[in-house]
Amino acid sequence: MAMQSFLSRLASHGIRCAFVGGCMALSTAQATPFLHCEVTYAGATQVVHAVPVADPYEVAPVDIAERFLFKVVMIATRGRLDHVLIYTYLQQEPRPVLLQQAKYFAPFKPRRQPVLLTGEQHIYGGPIERELIYRCWLGGIQP
């Protein structure tokens, strides 16, 4: 369901996507930047997709097994990606605790295929050091 919603949002911008061998391929005359993240906790993997937004404060974090929150914010100006911010939180009372904030700034090199932006990240949190693993691919960057 989430994938359908994401693909619908991309289609509204004239973007057509297809999954090829676990990686996202993109074809469009005027691509919109996107991020495709695979987030794994306790052996279960969730896919998180992001496209540029006008207001970073309106981006809601994704719940990961009620243990972590994962949030991706992409900001673009005039169709050019300015920066990508990735936040990882540990869910606990009375409020979530920020474990990692990763920042990636322009310029981003245009590529025909999505490129691994983050490498594989291992984040640990909580009293028994629960492990969250993620990696994100950046695509749709135009010259």
Side-chain angles (χ1 to χ4, degrees):
M1 189 74 165
M3 179 58 137
Q4 291 288 72
S5 174
F6 174 72
L7 293 177
S8 295
R9 283 186 293 163
L10 288 181
S12 71
H13 294 285
I15 300 170
R16 301 288 182 253
C17 296
F19 285 96
V20 181
C23 189
M24 188 179 269
L26 180 73
S27 68
T28 181
Q30 202 169 21
T32 296
F34 66 89
L35 204 66
H36 167 92
C37 300
E38 294 176 357
V39 184
T40 303
Y41 171 70
T45 300
Q46 284 182 246
V47 176
V48 177
H49 298 283
V51 293
V53 296
D55 183 357
Y57 298 103
E58 291 184 5
V59 177
V62 175
D63 176 65
I64 309 294
E66 298 181 351
R67 301 281 187 199
F68 293 94
L69 295 172
F70 187 79
K71 180 178 175 177
V72 178
V73 176
M74 298 178 73
I75 301 295
T77 305
R78 294 183 299 280
R80 296 272 187 194
L81 184 61
D82 292 327
H83 60 274
V84 175
L85 304 173
I86 302 173
Y87 302 92
T88 307
Y89 298 88
L90 176 67
Q91 292 196 53
Q92 67 177 30
E93 292 299 327
R95 69 188 65 78
V97 174
L98 180 66
L99 297 176
Q100 182 194 49
Q101 178 186 24
K103 300 178 181 183
Y104 301 90
F105 294 97
F108 298 100
K109 186 175 180 179
R111 307 243 182 189
R112 295 179 66 100
Q113 294 294 324
V115 62
L116 185 61
L117 179 67
T118 62
E120 185 172 277
Q121 300 293 308
H122 293 252
I123 312 298
Y124 300 92
I128 58 172
E129 294 296 313
R130 298 181 189 281
E131 180 183 42
L132 180 84
I133 303 168
Y134 75 87
R135 53 188 172 189
C136 299
W137 287 266
L138 178 64
I141 304 299
Q142 295 299 306

